[in-house]
C-alpha cells in the first residue's frame, strides 16, 4: 500500500514542479519587464516570494524539487530577457540562496512551519528577511554585476 502511494506521488511529481517553474518564470518576466526602465536591477523580485512560501510549507526532503523548478524558471526568464549568460547563472544562484536561506532561517529561527502565523512570528520573519537575507543577497548581486560588467561597485 505504501509502495503504491509512493508510485502515485512519483507519477504526479512533474505537474506541481512544472506549475511552480512556470509561475516563477511568469513572475520573473513581469519583474524584469517592470525594471527595464531602471538601471537594469529589479526593484522587487516577485517570484522569490512564491519560492519562499512554497519552501516554508514543503518538507525538507522535497526541497530539491522546489529548488530545481525555481532555478529553472529563473534561468529561463534571464535568457528570454537576453541577460548575458554569466549574469543569468549568477542571478539564478543568488535568488536560490535568497529564498532557500530565507525559508531555512524562517523555519529554524521563528519556529514557523504551518498556519496559523502569530503576530510575533510575522514580525520576526519580516525582520529576518528585510534586515538580513535581502541585504546579504543584494550585496552578492551587486558584486556579481560589478565583476561581470567590469564596473566599480559603487556605480
Amino acid at each position: 500500500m505504501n509502495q503504491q502511494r509512493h508510485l502515485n506521488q512519483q507519477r504526479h511529481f512533474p505537474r506541481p514542479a512544472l506549475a511552480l517553474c512556470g509561475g516563477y518564470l511568469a513572475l520573473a518576466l513581469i519583474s524584469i519587464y517592470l525594471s527595464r526602465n531602471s538601471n537594469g536591477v529589479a526593484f522587487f523580485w516577485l517570484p522569490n516570494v512564491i519560492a519562499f512560501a512554497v519552501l516554508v510549507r514543503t518538507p525538507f526532503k522535497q526541497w530539491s524539487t522546489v529548488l530545481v523548478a525555481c532555478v529553472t524558471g529563473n534561468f529561463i526568464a534571464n535568457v528570454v530577457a537576453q541577460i548575458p549568460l554569466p549574469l543569468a547563472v549568477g542571478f539564478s544562484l543568488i535568488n536560490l540562496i535568497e529564498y532557500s536561506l530565507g525559508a531555512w532561517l524562517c523555519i529554524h529561527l521563528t519556529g514557523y512551519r504551518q498556519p496559523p502565523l502569530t503576530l510575533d512570528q510575522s514580525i520576526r520573519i519580516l525582520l529576518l528577511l528585510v534586515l538580513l537575507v535581502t541585504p546579504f543577497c543584494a550585496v552578492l548581486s551587486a558584486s556579481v554585476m560589478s565583476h561581470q560588467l567590469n564596473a566599480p561597485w559603487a556605480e
Side-chain angles (χ1 to χ4, degrees):
M1 185 68 169
N2 250 354
Q3 225 174 7
Q4 183 62 34
R5 185 181 306 143
H6 182 66
L7 289 174
N8 286 340
Q9 287 174 344
Q10 282 182 334
R11 270 188 238 135
H12 298 293
F13 160 76
R15 276 189 235 155
L18 289 174
L20 180 59
C21 180
Y24 194 103
L25 171 62
L27 289 173
L29 289 172
I30 290 169
S31 294
I32 290 169
Y33 174 76
L34 292 174
S35 69
R36 282 294 179 191
N37 292 332
S38 68
N39 60 359
V41 177
F43 178 70
F44 55 92
W45 191 249
L46 298 171
N48 282 5
V49 175
I50 300 299
F52 171 81
V54 170
L55 283 173
V56 167
R57 299 295 308 274
T58 301
F60 286 116
K61 291 178 184 178
Q62 297 171 357
W63 271 35
S64 60
T65 302
V66 174
L67 298 177
V68 168
C70 293
V71 165
T72 302
N74 195 338
F75 182 75
I76 292 169
N78 287 332
V79 170
V80 167
Q82 300 177 342
I83 293 172
L85 195 57
L87 283 176
V89 170
F91 289 158
S92 297
L93 293 176
I94 291 166
N95 282 317
L96 169 84
I97 292 168
E98 184 171 2
Y99 49 76
S100 58
L101 177 64
W104 189 86
L105 288 172
C106 172
I107 292 165
H108 286 86
L109 297 181
T110 69
Y112 177 73
R113 194 69 165 148
Q114 298 292 328
L117 183 63
T118 67
L119 180 60
D120 182 52
Q121 287 172 325
S122 300
I123 292 169
R124 283 191 278 164
I125 290 169
L126 182 64
L127 290 174
L128 179 70
L129 296 177
V130 170
L131 299 177
L132 182 65
V133 176
T134 301
F136 173 70
C137 290
V139 169
L140 286 178
S141 292
S143 299
V144 166
M145 283 187 69
S146 176
H147 179 0
Q148 285 300 314
L149 301 176
N150 250 354
W153 205 80
E155 286 185 12

